[in-house]
């Protein structure tokens, strides 16, 4: 056997084969593309073939993926690519259970996939108001919704309130078909999607009907005091300064607020009107309010999303 045809066999007992390999072995294919090793799975064993150098780099990655599959954590090809190229496997293995969110009725645990996401969840755990800022695909809203669902399930709060500004990004609401609710629903759909990834559709609908979950345009928050609630403002870059102040002062007894936004996606006519930019200037230093910045390194969508974000940033800088 020459150096380019070395082999490593790893035990995968207890690891769900589908979680580990992915649909149509997509995870193994991604590992081959990232590190050059060929991977096959037979029963409770995984065999990797390649050069000695390739196997040295690929072995800890595969061991980490096996541990993730053993824990029931879903592993996508994008996770494999990120772990293989950025070395976050230590953050995701059994020693990286800090931040794990286990929700009733959900077979898989929700876990931070990057150090930045882990730090973000830690701040949400320890502060009454957290402002998460970063580009698309970094999980800032998804993880906040997961923490909200966890708080509701553990009865730490009585309800979840999710809000978004209904900003006319190139379209006029007045010309959209339907009544007011039908006009604003497209703006709120991403929040429904996040919830339904964590709770059965029927349970989400029942919670909305009983008031345990409320999803509404930001304007609906005016004049209210929200007690015993986990409150999330998404797409906060499109809230005006006045709207942001109104929203943050809704905070009541035993409530928590997470604000998420992307400063590169401001759709307001005047960029400086963004309430997200204003709170960056006004609120730092207040005890109980934490800012966290996610970056392209925290992107957990398709690997091309990170490349797209970087390309746009380079173009603007140039």
């Amino acid at each position: 056997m020459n150096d380019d045809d070395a082999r490593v066999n790893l035990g995968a007992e207890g690891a769900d084969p589908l979680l580990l390999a992915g649909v149509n072995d997509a995870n193994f294919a991604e590992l081959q593309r990232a590190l050059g090793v060929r991977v096959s799975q037979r029963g409770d064993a995984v065999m990797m073939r390649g050069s000695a150098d390739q196997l040295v780099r690929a072995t800890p990655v595969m061991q980490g993926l096996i541990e993730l599959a053993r824990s029931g954590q879903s592993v996508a090809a994008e996770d494999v690519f990120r772990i293989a190229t950025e070395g976050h496997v230590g953050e995701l293995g059994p020693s990286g259970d800090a931040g794990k969110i286990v929700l009733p009725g959900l077979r898989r645990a929700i876990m931070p996939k990057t150090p930045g996401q882990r730090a973000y969840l830690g701040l949400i755990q320890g502060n009454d108001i957290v402002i998460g800022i970063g580009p698309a695909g970094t999980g800032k809203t998804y993880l906040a919704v997961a923490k909200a669902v966890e708080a509701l399930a553990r009865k730490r709060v009585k309800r979840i309130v999710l809000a978004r500004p209904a900003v006319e990004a190139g379209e006029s609401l007045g010309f959209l078909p339907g009544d007011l609710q039908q006009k604003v629903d497209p703006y709120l759909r991403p929040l429904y999607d996040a919830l339904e990834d964590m709770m059965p559709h029927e349970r989400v609908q029942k919670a909305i009907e009983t008031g345990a979950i409320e999803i509404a345009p930001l304007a609906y928050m005016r004049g209210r005091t929200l007690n015993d609630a986990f409150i999330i403002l998404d797409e906060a870059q499109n809230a005006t300064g006045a709207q942001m102040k109104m929203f943050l002062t809704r905070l009541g007894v035993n409530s928590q607020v997470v604000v998420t936004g992307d400063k590169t996606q401001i759709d307001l006519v005047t960029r400086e009107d963004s309430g997200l930019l204003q709170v960056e200037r006004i609120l730092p230093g207040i005890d109980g309010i934490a800012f966290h910045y996610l970056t392209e390194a925290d992107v957990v969508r398709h690997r091309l999303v990170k490349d797209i974000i970087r390309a746009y940033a380079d173009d603007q800088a140039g």
Side-chain angles (χ1 to χ4, degrees):
M1 184 183 302
N2 60 48
D3 185 59
D4 291 329
D5 195 29
R7 300 183 184 184
V8 168
N9 290 307
L10 298 174
E13 300 86 355
D16 185 312
L18 182 58
L19 287 181
L20 179 58
V23 178
N24 295 325
D25 292 342
N27 294 344
F28 292 166
E30 193 68 28
L31 188 60
Q32 179 174 352
R33 182 156 69 139
L35 297 180
V37 294
R38 302 181 298 283
V39 186
S40 60
Q41 184 176 13
R42 292 183 181 177
D44 289 334
V46 173
M47 184 177 72
M48 296 189 297
R49 299 175 61 177
S51 71
D53 287 343
Q54 289 171 337
L55 292 174
V56 165
R57 286 180 288 140
T59 296
V61 174
M62 180 55 70
Q63 288 172 330
L65 296 174
I66 290 171
E67 291 302 324
L68 285 175
R70 280 178 177 151
S71 70
Q73 175 73 5
S74 177
V75 180
E78 288 73 33
D79 300 325
V80 176
F81 181 83
R82 184 178 59 259
I83 294 168
T85 57
E86 298 177 11
H88 291 159
V89 65
E91 300 287 340
L92 294 172
S95 63
D97 282 351
K100 178 191 289 189
I101 301 171
V102 180
L103 302 177
L106 193 66
R107 291 183 57 190
R108 60 183 176 84
I110 295 174
M111 296 177 64
K113 295 184 176 182
T114 69
Q117 289 190 347
R118 183 189 309 284
Y120 178 51
L121 287 177
L123 290 174
I124 293 175
Q125 191 72 29
N127 293 273
D128 290 333
I129 297 177
V130 172
I131 299 168
I133 299 173
T138 52
K140 55 189 183 294
T141 301
Y142 187 85
L143 292 174
V145 172
K147 291 298 288 183
V149 174
E150 179 188 47
L152 184 65
R154 297 192 178 190
K155 302 188 185 308
R156 291 201 293 262
V157 298
K158 294 180 179 178
R159 58 178 166 159
I160 297 170
V161 179
L162 307 175
R164 262 190 165 204
V167 171
E168 302 178 30
E171 297 183 54
S172 173
L173 285 174
F175 288 98
L176 293 175
D179 58 22
L180 178 61
Q181 191 62 45
Q182 291 171 322
K183 290 176 189 291
V184 299
D185 266 353
Y187 292 96
L188 306 176
R189 186 69 248 172
L191 297 174
Y192 286 101
D193 291 343
L195 275 173
E196 292 181 359
D197 197 44
M198 302 169 198
M199 301 170 63
H201 176 77
E202 298 76 16
R203 192 182 301 172
V204 173
Q205 291 304 311
K206 182 177 180 180
I208 291 173
E209 290 169 6
T210 61
I213 295 176
E214 178 182 355
I215 305 176
L218 175 58
Y220 286 27
M221 300 296 107
R222 190 173 301 279
R224 304 172 62 185
T225 300
L226 299 172
N227 298 319
D228 297 305
F230 197 115
I231 313 154
I232 298 172
L233 174 60
D234 189 34
E235 297 288 336
Q237 74 276 2
N238 288 327
T240 65
Q243 288 175 325
M244 181 68 78
K245 180 181 178 182
M246 175 274 292
F247 173 79
L248 292 174
T249 54
R250 301 309 92 199
L251 182 66
V253 177
N254 190 41
S255 288
Q256 183 172 8
V257 164
V258 177
V259 175
T260 67
D262 178 356
K263 293 189 292 182
T264 70
Q265 299 283 340
I266 296 174
D267 295 318
L268 299 172
V269 175
T270 304
R271 177 181 172 82
E272 289 68 29
D273 287 342
S274 171
L276 187 63
L277 299 183
Q278 293 178 18
V279 295
E280 268 195 301
R281 183 179 72 251
I282 296 169
L283 299 184
I286 298 178
D287 188 37
I289 300 179
F291 285 78
H292 185 66
Y293 292 85
L294 295 151
T295 69
E296 65 181 44
D298 300 300
V299 171
V300 294
R301 290 183 186 167
H302 193 286
R303 62 183 180 81
L304 287 176
V305 173
K306 184 179 300 185
D307 294 335
I308 292 168
I309 291 169
R310 187 182 297 121
Y312 270 91
D314 291 345
D315 180 70
Q316 292 172 353

